[in-house]
Amino acid sequence: MTGQKPLVVSFGGGTNSVALLCGFLNKGIRPDLILFSDTGAEMPHTYDCVDLMRIKVNEWWGLELLTVSYKKTIVQHCHDTGQMPSLAYGRRSCSQKFKHYPMERYIKSWAKKSGITEITKAIGFDANERRRLERAPNEKYLLKNLREVYWYPLAEWGWRRQECIQAICDAKLPQPGKSACFLCPASKRSEVINLRDKHPDLLRAALNIEEEAQKTNRTYRGLGGKKNLWSDWLSLDAAQEKLWLDIEPAHLPCHCTV
């Protein structure tokens, strides 16, 4: 439990963070502040989830789910610098700049106005995320007189992904899906193909950033990391699809008997 310290929730708009709020509701825990850091490049289903949870947070606790952001979107930053998100280069500064920094900036201002010197921040790592939990910090000083203590309720409750999904079902809420930027270099090939099929406009925006980066960086890198261009993945997928159609024409009977 959080004691008397104000409880701040880091809300990402994905399965774990929605389950976290459902768990709080069921256990009678009331947050004091709920923050969503908007990179400006979230998937459409994430923005839909945030809009829905704004309503629910107000119904459940009379609170506002607040959105914070960096001074520019990650897409604008990529165009301005001619680079891809930092994860494509093996770094993780994009999360710090576009997720953590806006949230910390707001918390500092909020705490200062309220005379708060210590808060508890709830983060939705589930019980199966052992590596993340092992690396996760216990506390941080945002200011000399502002201590932020981290709490991982899902792990404490023993909730894995299946328990999180069930908690959302029990609350009669739609499953939010994965929360990630549409141009995230951690995306799997299948996710890039899915982006092509469902959100071609977002894929074009991501490919434009990848193409611009090739002009400013001498190393052969793509949104998939070193020597992994999304454009190559898509070309390969298209070639494999054509090969399959050449080998197994769609007009051949399947010999089904049912």
Side-chain angles (χ1 to χ4, degrees):
M1 291 296 294
T2 64
Q4 298 301 313
K5 297 186 292 293
L7 175 58
V8 177
V9 177
S10 174
F11 183 81
T15 298
N16 285 16
S17 55
V18 173
L20 179 64
L21 294 182
C22 293
F24 282 172
L25 180 67
N26 290 336
K27 296 175 186 296
I29 300 171
R30 187 185 190 279
D32 295 285
L33 183 66
I34 305 174
L35 296 176
F36 168 67
S37 281
D38 184 9
T39 64
E42 307 295 329
M43 291 290 289
H45 63 256
T46 299
Y47 287 120
D48 289 342
C49 172
V50 172
D51 288 342
L52 174 61
M53 294 310 295
R54 286 191 204 284
I55 298 171
K56 291 301 178 181
V57 161
N58 185 262
E59 289 178 357
W60 294 347
W61 298 295
L63 292 175
E64 183 180 358
L65 196 166
L66 298 173
T67 295
V68 295
S69 60
Y70 188 61
K71 58 186 177 182
K72 63 176 71 173
T73 69
I74 192 170
V75 173
Q76 292 170 332
H77 177 76
C78 288
H79 283 307
D80 290 346
T81 61
Q83 294 186 340
M84 298 173 289
S86 65
L87 192 58
Y89 307 99
R91 305 187 299 270
R92 295 183 179 273
S93 61
C94 51
S95 292
Q96 180 62 38
K97 179 175 292 186
F98 297 97
K99 284 289 187 180
H100 301 303
Y101 173 73
M103 196 171 292
E104 290 180 357
R105 182 181 58 189
Y106 187 92
I107 291 171
K108 289 176 185 177
S109 175
W110 174 75
K112 187 175 181 180
K113 290 178 182 178
S114 305
I116 295 168
T117 59
E118 185 169 310
I119 66 167
T120 296
K121 180 188 279 187
I123 299 173
F125 292 172
D126 67 50
N128 274 350
E129 297 183 273
R130 294 180 181 177
R131 291 186 179 180
R132 296 182 77 181
L133 289 165
E134 288 172 356
R135 297 195 302 264
N138 294 318
E139 63 179 35
K140 178 179 180 179
Y141 278 87
L142 301 184
L143 296 169
K144 187 176 181 180
N145 62 340
L146 178 57
R147 180 170 174 251
E148 186 175 68
V149 179
Y150 299 110
W151 181 33
Y152 306 96
L154 298 178
E156 182 178 298
W157 302 336
W159 285 18
R160 300 157 295 173
R161 180 51 62 98
Q162 50 265 52
E163 284 82 13
C164 290
I165 291 173
Q166 187 60 51
I168 296 170
C169 286
D170 292 343
K172 296 181 172 54
L173 295 174
Q175 295 299 324
K178 181 181 178 180
S179 173
C181 294
F182 68 80
L183 69 165
C184 180
S187 300
K188 300 175 182 178
R189 292 192 185 201
S190 59
E191 292 172 327
V192 176
I193 301 302
N194 185 65
L195 188 66
R196 178 199 67 188
D197 296 340
K198 294 186 176 181
H199 304 289
D201 55 330
L202 298 183
L203 176 65
R204 284 193 297 271
L207 292 178
N208 285 338
I209 288 172
E210 184 179 70
E211 184 179 356
E212 288 176 4
Q214 306 312 305
K215 300 173 184 177
T216 58
N217 294 277
R218 296 180 181 179
T219 55
Y220 184 65
R221 284 181 179 270
L223 282 171
K226 190 174 183 181
K227 298 183 179 179
N228 285 297
L229 274 73
W230 280 14
S231 56
D232 287 347
W233 288 356
L234 293 164
S235 297
L236 180 60
D237 181 75
Q240 288 177 333
E241 184 176 358
K242 182 178 184 302
L243 178 62
W244 175 254
L245 290 174
D246 289 343
I247 296 173
E248 195 77 21
H251 67 272
L252 287 180
C254 65
H255 305 292
C256 291
T257 57
V258 179

